[in-house]
Amino acid sequence: SLASSSSIIEIVPLYPPCQTNQDCQKLDTSLECRKEPNNNNLLCRQPFGKPAFLKFMEQSTGKIYKQSFLIRSMGKQALTINSIRLETGSSYDFTLPSQNLHFPFTLQPREEKEIVVGYTPSDNKADKGRILVASNASNPEQANLILSGGGGPSCSLKVSPSSLVFASTGQRLG
């Protein structure tokens, strides 16, 4: 089998713990509640075979948000990570904050490394990006993590009616 003689990479976006699929689907309809193979914790995850994505929920513009993902070594051989690169796509709102990463670095079988992604919405438009992890993995040479975020709804305030009359005094405003 592939795992018996190779380095295998898994990208694991970190979402909150869950009890049921319904807990996860409040975050995104494509997530499901699954047991983690390393520790049996229940976490929201994409279905098997689907591309990994990290979704920042609608947020306030100008605030800094951080979420993490794991790079996990799943094969029988050590996994060497050669680089982690951010492709900003439609937005420069995503960042890879400095994390004292020195390339290349090695993960032994079943070892994992947490990587933090920053998101600072600059407007209320949807943002997309991608993280590329280059490694010696035989399952893909580069593992991708799709990033998405929404800057949050803009505030539009409309006051109606345009004038008020106070019954007790007869005073009119507006």
Side-chain angles (χ1 to χ4, degrees):
S1 86
L2 191 64
S4 64
S5 63
S6 309
S7 301
I8 305 290
I9 190 170
E10 183 183 20
I11 302 294
V12 183
L14 293 179
Y15 288 107
C18 55
Q19 298 296 319
T20 67
N21 283 341
Q22 197 171 9
D23 295 338
C24 299
Q25 294 184 353
K26 290 174 191 168
L27 301 171
D28 191 276
T29 56
S30 66
L31 295 174
E32 59 189 25
C33 191
R34 288 207 333 243
K35 250 184 208 177
E36 281 297 292
N38 285 359
N39 55 26
N40 283 334
N41 290 343
L42 288 170
L43 292 178
C44 295
R45 297 281 307 274
Q46 286 92 356
F48 287 110
K50 297 284 185 194
F53 71 88
L54 189 59
K55 182 176 185 176
F56 289 81
M57 301 309 161
E58 287 196 335
Q59 308 287 354
S60 301
T61 57
K63 287 186 81 178
I64 299 170
Y65 299 92
K66 292 183 180 178
Q67 283 185 227
S68 299
F69 69 96
L70 299 176
I71 299 173
R72 185 180 285 162
S73 176
M74 295 298 290
K76 300 277 190 226
Q77 302 294 317
L79 177 67
T80 301
I81 304 300
N82 298 312
S83 69
I84 300 173
R85 198 173 88 234
L86 173 65
E87 285 186 349
T88 55
S90 66
S91 167
Y92 293 100
D93 294 351
F94 296 107
T95 58
L96 274 172
S98 175
Q99 297 168 62
N100 283 334
L101 295 174
H102 303 284
F103 297 101
F105 66 86
T106 300
L107 298 174
Q108 296 305 317
R110 305 197 64 74
E111 190 179 2
E112 54 195 31
K113 174 102 176 127
E114 184 173 343
I115 307 293
V116 176
V117 179
Y119 177 57
T120 308
S122 59
D123 54 35
N124 64 349
K125 295 184 173 92
D127 295 307
K128 302 239 180 275
R130 188 164 66 144
I131 291 180
L132 304 172
V133 180
S135 72
N136 68 335
S138 56
N139 56 331
E141 185 72 11
Q142 292 190 0
N144 294 337
L145 175 65
I146 298 165
L147 304 174
S148 71
S154 59
C155 182
S156 177
L157 183 62
K158 183 178 179 184
V159 178
S160 182
S162 57
S163 66
L164 294 173
V165 176
F166 293 93
S168 59
T169 63
Q171 183 181 6
R172 181 181 177 94
L173 294 177

